[in-house]
Each structure stands twice: as C-alpha cells, then as structure tokens.
Amino acid sequence: MTILEKLKLSEKTRSEMLTSPKLKMRAKIVEAIENQIAAADADAKDETFVLRGMRWVNDPETGERVFKEVPLKFRRWWWKDEAGKLMCDIRYGNKRIELMAKKPTIEVGEIAGLLPALQTVKEAVLAGELDQQLLASKPVRKRGKA
C-alpha cells in the first residue's frame, strides 16, 4: 500500500463546486437563514441585532472613498398573527418560498420555537430538499433592450 492510497480521493474539483447553480443558491439561502437565526437569538435574549457588512462609502471629512463596516438593512422573516402566534416565512431574495404546496408559512408559536424551526429549514436546505422551490423562485433576468 502506497502512502497516497491512505487518502480518500475524489473526482470533484473546486471550480465545479463554485459554478454549480444549486450550490450557489443553497449557500445564499443558508447565509440568509444564519442571519435570521442570529436575529432570533438576539430577540430571545432581548438584545438588539444589527446586520453589518463591508461597503465603500465616502468619508465626510476627507471626501475619499473608504472601505468600512456599516450597518445594513435587515428584515426579519417572522411576525405575529392576529391571535398572537409567531409565524415565519422563508425567503429567497424578495420571494417567499413555498415549503410545501400552498404552505409557505411556518407556525412557530413562541420565540423559543423560532430557533429550532430555522435550524430545521437550514438542515433541509443543506440536504437539498428545497432545491426545486429555490429553482422555481429564481428571478429571470432579461438582457438587452426591452
């Protein structure tokens, strides 16, 4: 047995992983779900959540463009219905994802149930269970003149 035979080798390449549309969609929605989980965790602890990101902004003092961390616009996916129950949508971009046919909303109940619900959806996305819904909700871009 050679030394290299001790390793578990694969045909997959990094470029295939980076160009796969399904993997890009999964990564995008998993990142969004992780932001929602962080916000739900902060809400459960009665803390404020501010999503921050790096952006190019004009410095008011010098007038130069600088790359710095700024607060970003953040929209929670959950709300309370008329009975006071917590409800949650899963969104890809600005579109609501139907988790099952004609059922886009998760009934959470209380804030304590929100974290496990979001974790479950994240696991489903990573397992590929929502690939069809993500492909169906993908925006169609028209190029050229209208």
Side-chain angles (χ1 to χ4, degrees), residues 22-96:
K22 284 184 181 179
L23 293 177
K24 282 182 182 180
M25 284 189 303
R26 284 183 198 168
K28 183 178 178 180
I29 195 165
V30 164
E31 181 181 355
I33 291 171
E34 286 173 349
N35 288 336
Q36 294 294 325
I37 288 171
D41 189 37
D43 282 1
K45 296 176 182 175
D46 289 328
E47 298 173 355
T48 57
F49 175 77
V50 178
L51 182 63
R52 301 187 69 77
M54 300 298 287
R55 297 288 186 265
W56 285 100
V57 294
N58 290 329
D59 188 0
E61 296 172 4
T62 63
E64 294 182 16
R65 289 181 51 87
V66 292
F67 194 61
K68 67 182 218 178
E69 189 176 54
V70 295
L72 301 177
K73 183 178 174 183
F74 181 74
R75 183 174 171 188
R76 286 166 171 74
W77 290 348
W78 62 90
W79 73 97
K80 289 190 177 187
D81 68 355
E82 62 277 353
K85 278 195 230 173
L86 204 61
M87 310 292 275
C88 182
D89 282 337
I90 304 300
R91 296 185 166 271
Y92 182 67
N94 64 351
K95 295 188 179 187
R96 185 180 323 135

